Amino acid sequence: MALFRLKFNRSKYLLLLFLPALIYYILFKYVPMFGILISFKDYNPFKGIWQSDWVGLKYYSMFFHSPDFPKLLKNTVLLGVYKVVFGFPAPIILALLLNEVRKGVVKRLVQSISYLPHFISNVVVVSMMFLFLSPTSGLVNHLIEWMGYSSVNFMQNENYFRTLYILSEIWQHIGWETIIYLAALSAIDPQLYEAATVDGASRWHQLRHITVPGIMPAIVILFILNIGHVLDIGFEKVLLMLNPSIYSTADVLSTYVFRTGIQAMNYSYGTAIDLFTSVVNLLFILTANWISRKTSETSLW
Amino acid sequence: MKPKFGLFDVILYVVLFAVAASALYPFIYMIAVSLSGTVPVLKGEVFFWPKEFNLNTYAAVFDNPEIGRAYVNTIIYTAIGTAISLIVSAAGAYSLSKRDMLFRNGFMVMVVITLFFSGGMIPTFLVVKSYHLIDTIWAMVLPGAVSTWNLIVMRTFFSGMPQEVEESGKIDGLTDIGIFFRLVLPLSKAILATIGLFYGVAIWNNFFSALLYLRDADLFPLQVIVRNMVLQGSGGANGAGNIGGDSMIVDEALKYATIIVTTVPILLIYPFLQKYFAKGALIGSVKG
């Protein structure tokens, strides 16, 4: 007890510095976690979270039996998987290409310019998509018509949604995401390349046997983190792109939660879907981390 | 021995040029169209350079009282929000960087858990509502005040600070709070600039919080106005579509001008902070 008091006394000012952050985490992160309880209750705004009646798994079974469930799950998983399959390698490839550039000026210039879209809001990015792809006045359709084809209504066609979403994601984040890989690349010992050159290894061999293994730990860590967000599709952007004519491919779990949960005020039902999403994401990341630790000794924890 | 400039290098430069051009060209195009006259825009003749240069669209954008109010709102949210986020995160990160702080490991676990699990949209919404934050500035500022990633990046930065800083402060009789404000913060300008930029841009661009927590149109930030104008096509709601009788403005040009006006502060700060942020973002990631 005396030791505790001593330790407390010694760190009381540090604890005071931490206090605002602590309050923030409790009020805005941990209290909402207890709010998940309402997914097992019939939430009544007048009774509040604690007084509402328990209904067990009613809302979960309602969701799993809903005709929307298979479609939503498929849309969400497909979008998430495509994002990992196409979006994850893109910055690695760009970083490797930048690494091959010998002129420092060119490298820095391309880097600086490619970061730019990362700082543009989703509202603006989606607005640009609607304007550039507009069937009547958009730049892209002018080009298509000029080449002799008829214009395409990209944003209203459910077949284009996934491609447009993934392409715009890559456009937005490719430059920014190279930062980590470029840092890992610059940490590779230059002597390895010198030795390889002396031994007559070609550029391709150096890439395969020095560069890629050198950044592998960074790739694995980021891959695990990405896997943890497979169901956690960027809500803002999908919602902004969404219109009823593309629901069949574009409606995902989070936009459905927003529509049925917040807008139609089925709070308990929406929370049940939210929790389902979080738990699946958590399982994904735990599994990915476990596999990685067993096979490559690189892991988050 | 100097390696040759071969076919591979040609492909390399072409690809990199394409990446840079695709990131930059949309903005050049939007600026060019928004500064051009009606006829060339309607004919689709504008690609790189404004034709029949004029500022009518911008005059129309700034004449729109909705946009003006939203601009002021966004600036207020960004200024207050960045200040709060930065000070809370920096103080929290500094205390977490001190190994001997009581409960340090427990707090660290508590913070890291939120990276992997959260209450979700609806419980957060209900909680924010129960704190009576709906339709106040604080709804735009508080729910996302601390980003755990940013907190961890700052903590890594502070852990790398030399022990001597703290010791010299202790000799001068400063408490940990004094050391933090008088010695540590002035030595941390690069990281503060970086994380401040991240927070500032996130609040400037925040649409989600406004969508969830704001009903009162007087409080709307720019992002909501852009959404309403461009995506829901209610462009002329307040007469922004036509200024005066004779000078017609193309709807497209007006939308581009609104987008540019919304984005310009970010485009302007960006080059100045660029030298900081790449460095700052690395501090966290490399040491992990």
Side-chain angles (χ1 to χ4, degrees):
Chain A
M1 197 60 215
L3 185 74
F4 179 82
R5 194 165 298 161
L6 184 76
K7 267 193 103 174
F8 181 82
N9 251 324
R10 217 184 275 157
S11 49
K12 65 185 171 201
Y13 292 110
L14 287 174
L15 288 169
L16 211 57
L17 280 176
F18 188 70
L19 191 65
L22 180 69
I23 293 172
Y24 168 78
Y25 276 96
I26 291 172
L27 286 184
F28 292 102
K29 297 285 177 186
Y30 281 87
V31 174
M33 283 188 206
F34 287 101
I36 286 172
L37 281 180
I38 66 169
S39 68
F40 304 102
K41 291 180 161 207
D42 225 336
Y43 179 70
N44 178 333
F46 300 105
K47 289 184 179 172
I49 293 173
W50 302 107
Q51 304 297 319
S52 295
D53 305 318
W54 290 97
V55 292
L57 296 174
K58 175 180 151 191
Y59 288 106
Y60 291 89
S61 94
M62 197 166 127
F63 175 55
F64 295 135
H65 290 105
S66 136
D68 294 319
F69 175 68
K71 182 192 82 185
L72 289 168
L73 195 66
K74 184 182 151 214
N75 287 347
T76 313
V77 169
L78 270 182
L79 210 54
V81 168
Y82 286 152
K83 205 184 148 191
V84 171
V85 169
F86 297 103
F88 184 73
I92 302 176
I93 294 166
L94 181 60
L96 291 174
L97 290 176
L98 284 168
N99 193 47
E100 293 293 324
V101 175
R102 293 198 196 86
K103 284 203 170 58
V105 193
V106 177
K107 187 176 166 183
R108 274 198 301 277
L109 198 69
V110 173
Q111 257 183 284
S112 315
I113 294 174
S114 65
Y115 295 160
L116 185 63
H118 179 77
F119 294 93
I120 306 304
S121 75
N122 281 322
V123 172
V124 166
V125 170
V126 177
S127 297
M128 285 162 66
M129 289 164 78
F130 270 99
L131 291 169
F132 289 155
L133 298 173
S134 151
T136 52
S137 58
L139 184 65
V140 175
N141 274 311
H142 280 323
L143 213 69
I144 291 174
E145 281 171 358
W146 179 76
M147 289 192 294
Y149 299 95
S150 52
S151 68
V152 183
N153 196 348
F154 289 102
M155 301 300 282
Q156 311 281 340
N157 186 328
E158 74 269 18
N159 295 324
Y160 291 108
F161 169 75
R162 288 187 188 120
T163 314
L164 289 173
Y165 180 85
I166 303 297
L167 279 178
S168 63
E169 277 296 296
I170 294 175
W171 180 76
Q172 277 179 280
H173 303 299
I174 186 170
W176 184 250
E177 287 169 358
T178 55
I179 291 183
I180 285 179
Y181 297 114
L182 286 170
L185 284 168
S186 67
I188 297 175
D189 186 354
Q191 286 185 345
L192 288 174
Y193 291 108
E194 282 161 25
T197 315
V198 171
D199 289 345
S202 68
R203 258 164 114 173
W204 171 246
H205 276 109
Q206 295 184 20
L207 182 74
R208 243 184 70 191
H209 296 290
I210 303 173
T211 312
V212 172
I215 61 170
M216 213 49 190
I219 294 178
V220 171
I221 293 283
L222 287 168
F223 187 75
I224 299 171
L225 287 170
N226 268 273
I227 289 290
H229 292 283
V230 161
L231 290 198
D232 204 5
I233 288 301
F235 164 77
E236 245 187 36
K237 209 166 115 192
V238 179
L239 187 82
L240 288 162
M241 291 174 76
L242 200 61
N243 53 69
S245 54
I246 59 169
Y247 272 169
S248 62
T249 56
D251 201 13
V252 294
L253 289 165
S254 56
T255 50
Y256 184 76
V257 168
F258 178 71
R259 240 186 10 263
T260 55
I262 302 253
Q263 289 186 320
M265 293 197 283
N266 296 314
Y267 294 132
S268 293
Y269 183 52
T271 307
I273 304 169
D274 256 351
L275 182 63
F276 167 75
T277 314
S278 298
V279 169
V280 173
N281 277 330
L282 197 62
L283 288 178
F284 270 130
I285 199 166
L286 290 173
T287 317
N289 193 56
W290 181 78
I291 292 172
S292 170
R293 201 171 45 192
K294 291 278 167 210
T295 55
S296 71
E297 287 169 9
T298 310
S299 66
L300 288 174
W301 57 81
Chain B
M1 187 188 83
K2 221 177 160 193
K4 280 182 305 205
F5 193 88
L7 177 67
F8 176 77
D9 294 277
V10 175
I11 299 171
L12 180 68
Y13 280 92
V14 169
V15 172
L16 292 182
F17 176 78
V19 170
S22 78
L24 204 54
Y25 179 67
F27 299 99
I28 295 174
Y29 175 76
M30 291 195 294
I31 292 171
V33 170
S34 67
L35 290 171
S36 294
T38 313
V39 178
V41 172
L42 286 177
K43 280 190 178 164
E45 286 172 346
V46 183
F47 293 105
F48 285 100
W49 213 244
K51 286 189 177 162
E52 298 178 16
F53 178 89
N54 70 79
L55 292 169
N56 291 347
T57 46
Y58 287 92
V61 169
F62 286 114
D63 264 356
N64 183 331
E66 238 182 359
I67 293 177
R69 198 173 49 214
Y71 224 101
V72 174
N73 288 340
T74 302
I75 291 171
I76 294 173
Y77 300 155
T78 308
I80 295 179
T82 309
I84 292 178
S85 296
L86 206 50
I87 195 73
V88 174
S89 309
Y94 179 70
S95 52
L96 285 178
S97 77
K98 294 290 155 216
R99 289 185 181 283
D100 47 358
M101 184 179 73
L102 191 65
F103 305 130
R104 172 184 179 264
N105 292 337
F107 288 147
M108 204 52 213
V109 169
M110 182 184 117
V111 165
V112 170
I113 283 176
T114 63
L115 283 179
F116 303 106
F117 193 77
S118 78
M121 190 193 303
I122 292 174
T124 308
F125 169 78
L126 292 175
V127 160
V128 170
K129 202 172 155 191
S130 75
Y131 298 154
H132 300 286
L133 298 180
I134 302 285
D135 274 336
T136 67
I137 312 183
W138 307 112
M140 291 298 292
V141 169
L142 295 180
V146 179
S147 142
T148 301
W149 284 119
N150 290 348
L151 185 85
I152 291 175
V153 169
M154 289 181 115
R155 188 194 72 122
T156 314
F157 174 85
F158 290 135
S159 326
M161 204 159 250
Q163 275 287 311
E164 287 79 14
V165 176
E166 197 189 330
E167 282 159 14
S168 73
K170 287 259 156 82
I171 292 169
D172 290 346
L174 289 174
T175 63
D176 286 312
I177 294 178
I179 293 171
F180 173 68
F181 280 104
R182 295 226 222 139
L183 302 177
V184 173
L185 285 189
L187 287 172
S188 314
K189 286 193 192 103
I191 193 81
L192 291 175
T194 309
I195 303 293
L197 172 82
F198 291 164
Y199 277 129
V201 170
I203 303 170
W204 187 277
N205 286 341
N206 189 345
F207 169 71
F208 180 75
S209 298
L211 180 74
L212 281 183
Y213 306 132
L214 300 182
R215 304 277 168 274
D216 182 353
D218 287 343
L219 292 172
F220 283 165
L222 273 174
Q223 304 299 333
V224 174
I225 303 299
V226 173
R227 198 274 305 251
N228 292 349
M229 268 187 77
V230 182
L231 298 179
Q232 298 191 327
S234 59
N238 277 3
N242 41 54
I243 49 154
D246 45 29
S247 52
M248 257 284 292
I249 285 182
V250 189
D251 202 28
E252 237 60 42
L254 188 72
K255 287 173 178 175
Y256 286 137
T258 313
I259 288 175
I260 294 298
V261 165
T262 306
T263 314
V264 110
I266 288 173
L267 301 181
L268 288 183
I269 316 180
Y270 172 79
F272 295 103
L273 284 165
Q274 229 227 345
K275 60 173 180 182
Y276 287 126
F277 71 57
K279 216 190 298 168
L282 289 180
I283 293 161
S285 55
V286 175
K287 293 185 190 163

